[in-house]
């Protein structure tokens, strides 16, 4: 396989900065994402065997019509670059052949191109002075432009035109099909050489192509990858490997075909083979950090840094789950990456690429990734995307795909109107021993309720009043039903499930912690849940960083930052103490040694670099620095710094209009605001003060101070 | 573009002879058809410009799971050939890498393969002693085989498994992606050479790749194609052409990239270029004729032969409309090809390939080819396919695609429950001047009623009782509505349409002639329609062979074979008298000279070789030789020979179990029957007789004689 390594910079763009007027490759929206996800998700191997996903992979539309009407000041030459077989029409009149340059006459003219491409996504790059391809072009997969026997075109059309999709393919010579992540050479920090073997340590978890330099001789070379040293040495049970048959009379270099995740590499070779050295090409998505967090606690700083590295390793063509094993796009995992992204990268294209790849195409024949909860996280992802970015266009373009997915869900409710697993539905929730998936699980109903609320919001954005009414009613009915069905007054909790119409005795954390930050509980219920569930050691503990994310979020949402800081130090700090250089798929402090690496019945089944391990990025930005949008796209926002036991913290949170900077000690807060309407809310023993500030007491030692657009403020206060 | 010419014989198989136990390439059913139709339908050009279809082109599933459980008598070596990236599992256990040979252990074992392929259809060819790939393998595009944290696989599955698709790819070295039609060299019958030009006549309409031999020199060569001499000479307005830039210091041959339709080729070349000769590669689907028809009338024999040639030219990767211009798969055109096929080729794969390509995939976003009537013809095509072949498997596999297409139709009915064109719906009916498409056209309601009846039949085949009840009720309600709404007692006809809820005054032939052979009229209505519509010159005449097909069928169904024979001689004979070597898209005897070639506002817009021109194949087989299935797959059938003015006729009609042979003169009838229960029905002045025959008088000079399975009978009678 020939590989094309192309280095091109990704510019982090807020959603408000559209690709309009920047000449770029365009395609049918969502299609590049589907195509690229097929390519990426079919790169998984398990011990050398190809391991593809078990859900439906969709496909791009192979025949696309592109057009735009231009007002051309004076005749101009226009260059055309196309992926596929194409035609060009000016004002509906075809031009013979496959022209590379056309002349656009002055005046108002419609330029149309129609492209067929089976193996890649039909795409065009049009470059004139005023006539350029950008996301303002309209596209469809069925133009329905028939003519009658006299040659007259049809006068009514039922065709849906969408705005073209685009990303950052701004060079005519790098079409979308040539997409490749960036690479950089890296060397090991330590090599142990024995007869016929090299054990190489790259010093930390990493990802890329192994390069064998100076290969010579005849015989087999095997490369065993390990996230741990134990795994690399376990040639019979390590998860990934490569075998090469060498026949090299003179020295040559060899780069592996497929990327792998590893810290250690164990290269074993035939006595007739020699190898000079082992190095790697680190592969990554070049996207810059915008968020930041430093504080008085060195361990937390280290947790933040390792979270960042973990997150970057899993932020690739898409937000993936983990780099060693699946390397697939999992909606539940991706949902957490979206949230972390808003506090570190604010890279909207990574969010929309992932959402579109997950959704694929109609018809809906299964839940996203086959998992019921993962379908709902997809809706929640859209809800957050809109809140953080304010991007209405995305919702306008993909509302029909939201509708059909929701219809699929609604059609699978049981007789009580509740979601219950049907054959083919995976009720996942979490990796937890003995967790019951029987009957109608309360957790799933909460997610459906939130998804219905998201649909109602989006219906209004696209002016679907009927839809808005319908989804609002469904949401409020379901919320009422959740409380009448699952709330147990004695237990002060939502019970886990309803089996055969009866409440089970089981209380788990899941529905209860989501109920907190969904704000579905009244104050009394909240306190009940906090005491009886969240802070109750008798309730089954959570061992995945995945659900720790929500557990700690729920506690933060109730002002328990002090407690959460200790939990973070204990849990993430615990992994660091075990030598983690990235955060894991699952962590159970009670395990010992290599026990930590086992999962799925395999000794090295566990992923030691899982996106969901990076949640401190989100928690520290949202609940410590305390920066949150109040209305879509940070048109209004709040800054509520909470030290949670830290002496000071200093950081940045990205928004569409720049970064909000927050410094907070026990005595002083400095905030640099952005274009939106920001307010600072702080608790203080005494009334806060500062030059020219209007301080509004909200009672109960809480104060609110307007930040002012793009203004910096300094506030003196006295932390509680 | 490099072309692979592969000659491989297609074996005409009845549906009952499945591909089981014959080792062959297999894929997800319907996917090769979609892939091949994309390839074929995107070969249309108009004056050198690419001219793709205006409806949605679908795509194959890119990731497919194949499996079968085998009982292996003793360990065997199995060769694997795959299109795509794949894995192999025996009893769920993966084998490392991409093995070309595996060892299947003795005993009962499940062999699974999973294949990803983006540009071609995922396909496998498995060749062992007992372990072979054939259509008995099961396939899916979503296996939903997840595992839990302990490694346990999901215990319930919602996955639909279908039987694998296959055709005639029986060699491991010719995978489906290498499909190519057969070719044979052909030479012109006449060449007129002038300075810088060669006008080449191939003697009759043909199709293929033009080959220029002994090209030398520098400069442009242009090839102008003509179905008529006028078109080839009209370099500014001919429909298809090729331009080549030659730079050949020594002589070379050049074959055009794309096939074209032509009889004449006008090659114009630069003074600095020389060409030795022009020839062609005729391209065709190698499929043998099984039906035949000879009779006492030489003109009818010629019409039959030219129909046969016309039909062969349009029977290619799929049944297409015409070879010059569209070369697309149009459901209305294809529907007639299915029917002709049952009387000439009985090539079921050509029918199912075409049906599957037309249907494509869900979701349904428009009518088939965007045309309302063409959606209904698709259902009618399935109804006939089942009747002629008895192939239940096809219906079992694709019933869900029938359901979703029907739901699309039902969702588009107007307030009165009638089909009326919505934006994006093309109500075609026929090419006819001034034909109204406004309101709810009666013709469309008849087609919907017949489609609903088809759905009811298919529901029963797949044991969907609920569906059967629903569709039966919808069909009978609609039929009642058709008569209460459109039947005009005074006009003795169904009127053309209902506009704003009111009957129009207009009577056209369409609904009335379909009503005859759908058997929707009572005897009195039939006679009324015959006199007031079919034989009434005041009703707008039909000028397309397309609708002549049904008009003549309706007359035949009412015993008007004598009249129809004269019409055939007049209409098809009329084209022959104008020099036609294949039958046309449209024929209007009142036009003169090159006027005949114009259509769609273009001087050579008309196709002179259109499949729908070949209907005498069907009419002569079904209504003169009179062979018709009475139950699916010719389990029972009738032979009702009608001379219609001929002195004698002699022919064959193919069935799944062999050919029914019929000779009929005014005095003697000889029939060679097949495996089904056949009866001969004849009208005779005197009681027919023959050795060992039991003759049953049915009254009114009609007699019935049992044919006997695979028996030949000779009957003496006296024609009326």
């Amino acid at each position: 396989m020939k590989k094309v390594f192309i280095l091109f910079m990704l510019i982090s763009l807020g959603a408000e900065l559209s690709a309009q007027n920047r000449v770029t490759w365009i395609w049918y929206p969502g299609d590049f994402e589907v195509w690229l996800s097929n390519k990426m998700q079919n790169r998984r191997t398990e011990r050398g065997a190809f391991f593809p996903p078990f859900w439906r992979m969709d496909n791009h539309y192979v025949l696309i019509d592109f057009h735009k009407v231009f007002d051309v000041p004076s005749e101009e030459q226009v260059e055309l670059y196309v992926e596929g077989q194409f035609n060009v029409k000016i004002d509906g009149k075809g031009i013979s052949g496959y022209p590379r340059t056309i002349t656009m006459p002055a005046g108002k003219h419609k330029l149309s191109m129609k492209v067929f491409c089976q193996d890649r996504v039909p795409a065009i790059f049009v470059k004139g002075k005023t006539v350029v391809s950008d996301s303002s072009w309209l596209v469809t997969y069925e133009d329905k432009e028939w003519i009658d026997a006299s040659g007259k075109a049809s006068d009514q059309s039922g065709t849906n035109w969408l705005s073209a999709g685009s990303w950052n393919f701004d060079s005519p010579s790098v079409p979308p099909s040539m997409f490749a992540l960036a690479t950089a050479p890296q060397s090991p920090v330590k090599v142990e050489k024995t007869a016929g073997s090299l054990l190489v340590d790259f010093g930390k978890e990493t990802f890329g192509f192994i390069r064998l330099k100076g290969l010579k001789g005849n015989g087999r070379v095997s490369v065993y990858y390990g996230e741990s040293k134990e795994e690399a040495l376990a040639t019979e049970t390590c998860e990934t490997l490569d075998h090469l048959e060498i026949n090299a009379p003179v020295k040559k270099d060899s780069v592996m075909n497929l990327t792998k995740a590893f810290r250690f590499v164990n290269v074993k070779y035939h006595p007739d083979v020699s190898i000079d050295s082992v190095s790697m090409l680190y592969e990554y998505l070049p996207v810059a950090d915008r968020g930041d967090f430093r504080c008085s606690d060195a361990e937390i700083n280290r947790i933040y840094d390792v979270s960042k590295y973990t997150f970057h390793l899993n932020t690739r063509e898409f937000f993936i789950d983990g780099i060693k094993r699946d390397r697939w796009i999992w909606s539940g995992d991706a949902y957490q990456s979206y949230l972390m992204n808003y506090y570190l990268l604010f890279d909207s294209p990574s969010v929309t690429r992932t959402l579109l790849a997950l959704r694929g195409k109609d018809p809906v024949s299964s839940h996203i990734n086959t998992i019921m909860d993962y379908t709902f996280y997809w809706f929640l992802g859209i809800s957050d995307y809109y809140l953080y970015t304010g991007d209405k266009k995305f919702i306008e373009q993909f509302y029909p795909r939201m509708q059909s997915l929701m219809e699929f869900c609604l059609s699978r409710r049981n007789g009580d109107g509740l979601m219950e697993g049907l054959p083919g539905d995976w009720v996942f929730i979490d990796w937890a021993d003995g967790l019951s998936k029987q009957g109608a699980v309360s957790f799933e109903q909460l997610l459906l309720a939130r998804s219905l609320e998201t649909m109602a919001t989006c219906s209004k954005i696209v002016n679907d009043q009927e839809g808005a009414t319908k989804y609002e009613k469904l949401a409020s009915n379901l919320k009422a039903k959740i409380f009448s069905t699952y709330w147990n007054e004695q237990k002060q909790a939502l019970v886990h499930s309803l089996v055969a119409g009866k409440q089970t005795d089981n209380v788990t954390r899941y529905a209860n912690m989501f109920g907190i930050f969904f704000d579905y509980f009244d104050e009394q219920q909240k306190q009940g849940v906090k005491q009886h569930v969240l802070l109750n050691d008798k309730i089954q503990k959570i061992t995945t960083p995945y659900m720790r994310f929500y557990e700690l979020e729920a506690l933060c949402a109730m002002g328990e930052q002090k407690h959460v800081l200790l939990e973070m130090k204990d849990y993430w700090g615990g992994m660091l103490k075990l030598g983690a250089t990235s955060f894991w798929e699952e962590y159970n402090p009670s395990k010992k040694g290599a026990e930590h690496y086992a999962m799925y019945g395999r000794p090295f089944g566990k992923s030691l670099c899982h996106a969901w391990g990076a949640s401190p990025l989100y928690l520290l930005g949202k609940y410590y620095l305390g920066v949150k949008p109040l209305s879509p796209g940070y048109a209004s926002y709040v800054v509520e710094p909470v030290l949670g036991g830290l002496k000071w913290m200093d950081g940045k949170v990205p928004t569409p209009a720049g970064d909000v900077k927050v410094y907070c000690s026990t005595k002083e807060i400095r905030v640099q605001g952005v274009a939106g309407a920001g307010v600072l809310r702080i608790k203080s023993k005494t009334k806060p003060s500062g030059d020219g500030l209007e301080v509004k007491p909200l009672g109960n030692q809480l104060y609110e101070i307007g930040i002012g657009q793009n203004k910096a403020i300094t506030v003196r206060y006295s932390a509680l």
Side-chain angles (χ1 to χ4, degrees), chain A residues 67-78:
Chain A
H67 81 256
K68 186 178 175 179
V69 176
F70 288 94
D71 219 334
V72 184
S74 60
E75 184 182 292
E76 64 182 62
Q77 293 300 103
V78 179

Side-chain angles (χ1 to χ4, degrees), chain A residues 3 29 43 75 87 136-137 145 201 225 279 329 424 469 488 531 557 594 636:
Chain A
K3 235 173 279 99
R43 283 201 206 110
E75 184 182 292
N87 68 24
S136 67
W137 283 55
E145 288 195 348
D201 178 5
Y225 299 87
S279 62
I329 316 168
T469 309
N488 186 313
Q531 296 312 323
S636 63

Side-chain angles (χ1 to χ4, degrees), chain A residues 66 87 171 286 322 328 381 390 395 425 481 527 532 605 625 656 674 687:
Chain A
F66 301 80
N87 68 24
S171 159
W328 291 342
I395 289 158
D425 297 350
K481 181 135 200 145
Q527 294 306 326
H532 292 81
L625 295 179
V674 290
K687 189 179 176 189

